[in-house]
Amino acid sequence: RKVAGRDWMEFFTVLVWATVIMIMFLAKLKAFQDVLIAIILGTIMLVANADFFFSHFRLYKIYVVLRHALLKDVVGSATLGLVCLAVHGLWPEASAPWVALHLTALAAWALCGIQANPMVSVGLWAGGKNQMTKAQLLLRILAQAAGSVIAFAAFGLYYSFRFPGEGPFGHFLGIGSACSAAVTFAGSVAHIRVIDAQTASRLAKMA
C-alpha cells in the first residue's frame, strides 16, 4: 500500500509541475502563437473524437467503412506537409517545396494508395468510374484538411520562433504551386483512367 501510495504521489507531483511549466510557457507566448497551439490541439481532438462527431450525421456508416483509410489520409497529409515545410524552413525563399507538396501527394497515392491531397481525391472522383461517391470525397477532403492544418499550424509555430514577425507561407499561393496542383489533378485523372481501362480489359478477357 505504501508503494502504491508513493507512486501515485509522485505521479501527481509530476503532473502538477508539468501543468505549472506548461502555463508558464503559454504565458510567454504571443497571441498568434497561442492561437496556433489551440488550432493544433483542437484539430487533434477532432480527429481523435471523429467517431462521436460523425455519429450525428447520415454519412456515419460511410465513415465507419473508411475509418482506417481516413486516418491514413490524415497521417499522410500531415507527414507530407511537415516534410515539405521543413525543407521550406531550411530555404525560406525557395518555392520548390510548395511545388513538391502537390507532386509528392500524387506519388504517395500511386505508390502507397494514400490520398494526402484534395487534388488527388478530386481527380480520382472526376476521372475514375465508381471510385467514390460525393460523401466519400467529402470525408477524404476533411481528413486531408485536418492533416494539413496540423502540419501548417505546427510549422507556423516553429517559424514564429525562428523568424519572428515574418510570414511562413509566402510562396504557398504562387504560380508554381498552382501549376503543380493542376498537374497533380491531371495526373490523378490520367492515372485512374489507365487503371480503369486495364481493369476493363482484364474483365473482358475473363468473360
Side-chain angles (χ1 to χ4, degrees), residues 32 35-47 73-82 85 98 101 116-118 140-158 168-169 172:
F32 175 68
V35 171
L36 290 176
I37 291 178
I39 290 174
I40 295 171
L41 296 178
T43 306
I44 293 175
M45 183 199 71
L46 289 174
V47 172
D73 290 351
V74 173
V75 175
S77 179
T79 302
L80 288 180
L82 285 173
L85 289 167
W98 302 111
L101 181 62
N117 190 291
R140 292 281 192 175
I141 292 177
L142 288 176
Q144 295 154 9
S148 297
V149 166
I150 294 173
F152 277 72
F155 179 76
L157 183 63
Y158 156 76
F169 310 121
F172 179 62

Side-chain angles (χ1 to χ4, degrees), residues 124-184:
L124 298 180
W125 175 76
K129 295 181 180 178
N130 301 320
Q131 286 296 318
M132 65 179 77
T133 63
K134 292 181 180 179
Q136 292 172 332
L137 176 63
L138 174 62
L139 290 174
R140 292 281 192 175
I141 292 177
L142 288 176
Q144 295 154 9
S148 297
V149 166
I150 294 173
F152 277 72
F155 179 76
L157 183 63
Y158 156 76
Y159 207 88
S160 67
F161 284 107
R162 185 178 180 188
F163 303 106
E166 297 184 19
F169 310 121
H171 299 289
F172 179 62
L173 297 177
I175 297 177
S177 178
C179 291
S180 67
V183 170
T184 300

